[in-house]
Amino acid sequence: MNRQKFKQTIPYLLLGMFTLFFCWFFCGRYGVFGSKVDWISQHSVLPDYFRQQFYQTGQFFPEFAANIGGGQNIYHFSYYGLYNPVVLVAYLLPFVKMSDYLMAAGVVCLVASVCLMYVWLKRRGFSAEICMGISLLFLLAGPMIYQSCHQIMFVQYMPFLMLALLGIDRYWEKGKTGLYTLGVFLMILTSFYFSIAGMAGLVLY
C-alpha cells in the first residue's frame, strides 16, 4: 500500500476506532453489548430458532414454527429477522452462539453505517473535516449506539440505507441502478417494517 492509499484509509480507521470506543464507553463497560431483557427473550432466541429450524429441515422458506406458542405461522415472527441478511450470515457459523454473533454484528453494522456515511458525504463534495464531523455526530445520535445493543432491528437496516443513498447518486451520475436496487432489497429483507420509512427518505432525497 502506497502512502496516498494509506492516507485515504485513515478516516475509516479513525471512525472504526471511535465506534468501538463509544460502544464500550456507553454500553460495553457496564456489561454485554446487548439488552439484558429483550436479548434473552427475543433478539437472540428467535433468530437462533430460525437457524435451528433451517438446520433441521433444510428449508429456507418454512411456514410453521412447531415449538413457539404451541405452533404458529413462522412469518408472524419475521419482525425478528427471518430473512435478515445480517442474521442469515449466522447460518454459516453453527459453532457461534447467536447472542455472541448478534453483539458482534451490531458493532460491525454500526461501523459500516458510519463509514458509509463518510463515503456518501465525501462523494457529495464535502471536505474531509466536515465528513468526519458529521459522521461522528451520526454515530453519537441517540438511536445509533443505544438501539444497536437494545433494539437491533431499529437500526440494522442503516448500512443498506446508506448503500441505497450512494446508489441514487450513482444512478444520476452513471445511469446504473444496481447499487440502489441492492440497497433497497437488503433494507426490505432486514426489516420490511422500517424499510418503509427508509424508502420515504430515499424518495425525498
Side-chain angles (χ1 to χ4, degrees):
M1 182 183 295
N2 59 40
R3 188 180 183 87
Q4 184 64 29
K5 287 185 178 180
F6 178 73
K7 285 181 66 175
Q8 292 173 353
T9 64
I10 289 176
Y12 305 105
L13 294 173
L14 288 174
L15 288 171
M17 288 189 293
F18 276 125
T19 302
L20 292 174
F21 170 75
F22 285 122
C23 285
W24 169 82
F25 183 79
F26 290 120
C27 302
R29 63 179 175 148
Y30 301 112
V32 298
F33 189 73
S35 171
K36 294 181 180 178
V37 178
D38 291 345
W39 211 261
I40 297 172
S41 62
Q42 301 175 41
H43 300 316
S44 64
V45 175
L46 289 171
D48 193 51
Y49 178 79
F50 300 150
R51 181 168 68 169
Q52 296 304 323
Q53 184 92 339
F54 172 73
Y55 291 158
Q56 292 168 12
T57 66
Q59 295 180 358
F60 227 43
F61 301 96
E63 294 184 2
F64 189 67
N67 298 321
I68 300 180
Q72 296 192 39
N73 187 316
I74 201 167
Y75 295 102
H76 291 167
F77 302 95
S78 57
Y79 180 76
Y80 296 102
L82 182 58
Y83 297 117
N84 183 336
V86 177
V87 173
L88 290 179
V89 173
Y91 287 28
L92 303 174
L93 305 168
F95 49 87
V96 178
K97 287 174 58 178
M98 184 62 77
S99 55
D100 293 340
Y101 171 81
L102 288 176
M103 281 187 266
V107 175
V108 170
C109 286
L110 190 56
V111 171
S113 300
V114 174
C115 289
L116 286 170
M117 171 64 78
Y118 183 90
V119 172
W120 180 51
L121 293 170
K122 191 71 174 170
R123 291 188 179 178
R124 298 308 302 158
F126 294 100
S127 68
E129 293 79 10
I130 294 293
C131 295
M132 179 65 71
I134 293 178
S135 297
L136 288 175
L137 290 175
F138 176 65
L139 167 64
L140 295 172
M144 295 304 292
I145 294 177
Y146 179 83
Q147 302 293 10
S148 291
C149 72
H150 283 78
Q151 298 283 343
I152 54 176
M153 68 279 293
F154 291 178
V155 291
Q156 219 168 38
Y157 66 91
M158 196 64 71
F160 309 125
L161 175 59
M162 298 309 304
L163 273 182
L165 287 169
L166 286 165
I168 289 176
D169 292 342
R170 191 166 184 258
Y171 169 73
W172 289 113
E173 292 166 5
K174 300 181 179 180
K176 297 181 179 180
T177 61
L179 187 60
Y180 171 72
T181 304
L182 178 65
V184 172
F185 177 68
L186 292 175
M187 188 168 61
I188 293 171
L189 286 181
T190 304
S191 174
F192 59 84
Y193 294 97
F194 299 109
S195 66
I196 297 171
M199 286 186 283
L202 294 172
V203 169
L204 289 173
Y205 177 64

